[in-house]
Every structure is written in C-alpha cells, then in structure tokens.
Amino acid sequence: MAPTPGNARSLASAIADEVLVLDGGLSNQLEAQGCDLSDELWSARLLADGPEQIEAAHTAYVRAGARVLITASYQATFEGFARRGVDRAGAARLIGRSVELAREAGQGAAEQVWVAGSVGPYGAMLADGSEYRGRYGLTVRELERFHRPRIEALVEAGPDVLALETVPDTDEAEALLRAVEGCGVPVWLSYTIEGERTRAGQGLTEAFGLVAGNDQVVAVGVNCCEPGDAARAVERAAGVTGKPVVVYPNSGEEWDAGARTWRGTGAFDPGRMREWPAAGARLIGGCCRVGPDRIAALAAAVTATPGGR
C-alpha cells in the first residue's frame, strides 16, 4: 500500500474508527459555477481548460463538510483526450492533475481530507450512457487493458485510494480488480445498480462476492443509483464481504443519455442515511445532482449519529 504522507492516517484506519462523509456530484457543482460540460469529456475537459474551476468545486465540498474528495478523472481517459488532440504524455499529466487539484482543495481543511482517484467505467469514455447498461461486448482482458494505463497515471500522482466507481457489471469489476493488482494503492469498488441487481442484471451477492478476501479493497458498495436502492445494498455488501461499505447515491433523478439531461424528482434525504452506519456504511456521500447543501446536511446528520464520530 502507498505510504500516507506525514502523520496523516490511512483511509482504512480512519473508517475503522468513524464514518467519513464523501463529496457530492462534481459535474452539478461545476455547472452551478457556470461551466459548460456539454463536451464528451464532461468535467474532465476542465482539467485542461479550467483547472481552477475544478479546485473551486472541490473546495465547496470541503466547506460543506466532505472528508473525502473524488477526483475529476471519471471520464478522463487516454482515448478521450486523444480525440481532442492530446498526446499520451499530455493526457497522463492531465489525469495526474486531477489528484493534485483535489489535494490542494483539501489543504486548508480543519480535519484531514483524503483524495480518491476516480476510475470510471469503460462506458464513461463512450459518453453514451452505456455505464448504466454494461456488457459492452468486450472481454475481461480487453477491459483490463483499457483501464490499466489510466490507473497507472493516477497512482503516479499519489491518491490515498482509488475509487473504482459506477461499475455496471461483474465483468468490468473483475477487470478493474485485475488492473489495480500490485499498484500499491488501496481501492474501493462501487457498483451502479437498479433494484437489487447490477445494471447488467447480476445479483448483488455475486457482485459483492468478487472482493471477499481481497485485502487491497478497503470498502465495497454502490454509487450513482437511487437512494432507496442504495439503502438495501448497504446491508448486502456488508453481509457478503464483511468489509466497510461505501455508498453515495445520486439525487434519485434519472439520466436521459439521448437528451443529455436528468429527469424525475430528487429523493436524496440525508436524514434517512443516518441509519446506514449501523448497517455497515463507513463512507457516505452523494453522486450526480447532489450538491454542497445536501452534503452539509449529510455531514450534520452523520455527526449527530451515535458512532458517526
């Protein structure tokens, strides 16, 4: 495992003692700051064109009480940057910059802030919503080859943990776990789900079972799903793996990839999430459409929960 700088604690050590609040959706905060994210690179475009905006968005979540910041590398890939004319060396620098920006945003916090290097799914690179379907027609080996270079670039920048996030199926989860093996950085694995199955239709017992006994995985759970679905998944993840659970649902709205917009009504209720630590959740936050105001309310709810701090 990568050494933690100075006298800082590792993330695994911290979540053994307390519940940590994650940040919320980076894209919605960037849009609130006036950024145009219509490009296929989404928020990753700003690694090149507006890094100060990314740092400002991270800072907004630190001020709201987030203790873990997830980097702007979800949609940052060598292939995506190549389509913008960025060579491999330049792409590696931009991916590494995502870690640096999050680290800088956390420097002034009163408490330690951890940085999670986002490793989004293959479907994020396609920018067509396929991360909510999975089963891209690629083998596990092909997916592993796709993910490994970006993981290496993130590791080089020194995150505290890698967030293998919004994973739609067990094939991609297996590929990601292979790609991070031996990299020296702990990881969490979080699926995007619908009901009690992955987006590709596999049962959660099977999906979570992939990490049982894997010491590199410090937490397992779900993200970018409906809050109601996440609540049920917390107990399943803890029961299957015995590991701490990471959970950060979206607002409850649904992404329309064709129209590139969110539809429906939000259902993110920080008050209801106070029950999740008792079921095994140790990392709790929000994903798409969950802003600093909701994270501030969540941080207050966690602090007021016995065992939260």
Side-chain angles (χ1 to χ4, degrees), residues 1 177 180-188 214-218 243:
M1 301 299 179
L177 292 171
V180 299
E181 188 174 354
C183 75
V185 175
V187 307
W188 79 56
N214 185 332
D215 291 339
Q216 188 178 5
V217 179
V218 296
K243 291 181 177 291

Side-chain angles (χ1 to χ4, degrees), residues 16-35:
D17 296 332
E18 60 181 308
V19 176
L20 295 182
V21 174
L22 307 176
D23 56 10
L26 185 63
S27 61
N28 47 267
Q29 178 57 25
L30 289 168
E31 288 174 337
Q33 293 170 195
C35 300

Side-chain angles (χ1 to χ4, degrees), residues 107-234:
Q107 290 297 327
E111 299 181 281
Q112 184 178 349
V113 173
W114 290 263
V115 172
S118 174
V119 183
Y122 178 80
M125 182 271 294
L126 300 178
D128 62 358
S130 59
E131 64 261 52
Y132 299 113
R133 300 187 298 272
R135 297 192 173 176
Y136 317 108
L138 300 178
T139 66
V140 171
R141 188 178 296 275
E142 287 170 329
L143 288 168
E144 179 186 354
R145 283 200 297 266
F146 166 78
H147 284 295
R148 189 179 296 277
R150 176 173 46 158
I151 287 167
E152 291 173 347
L154 282 169
V155 168
E156 182 67 23
D160 300 298
V161 63
L162 293 175
L164 314 180
E165 59 176 351
T166 325
V167 180
D169 62 36
T170 55
D171 281 354
E172 187 151 31
E174 184 179 349
L176 284 161
L177 292 171
R178 288 185 185 183
V180 299
E181 188 174 354
C183 75
V185 175
V187 307
W188 79 56
L189 174 67
S190 58
Y191 291 94
T192 178
I193 63 170
E194 186 171 11
E196 297 189 30
R197 293 186 172 273
T198 68
R199 296 283 185 168
Q202 298 111 344
L204 295 186
T205 298
E206 173 193 355
F208 295 139
L210 286 180
V211 307
N214 185 332
D215 291 339
Q216 188 178 5
V217 179
V218 296
V220 63
V222 294
N223 77 287
C224 210
C225 57
E226 290 195 9
D229 290 343
R232 293 189 293 272
V234 169

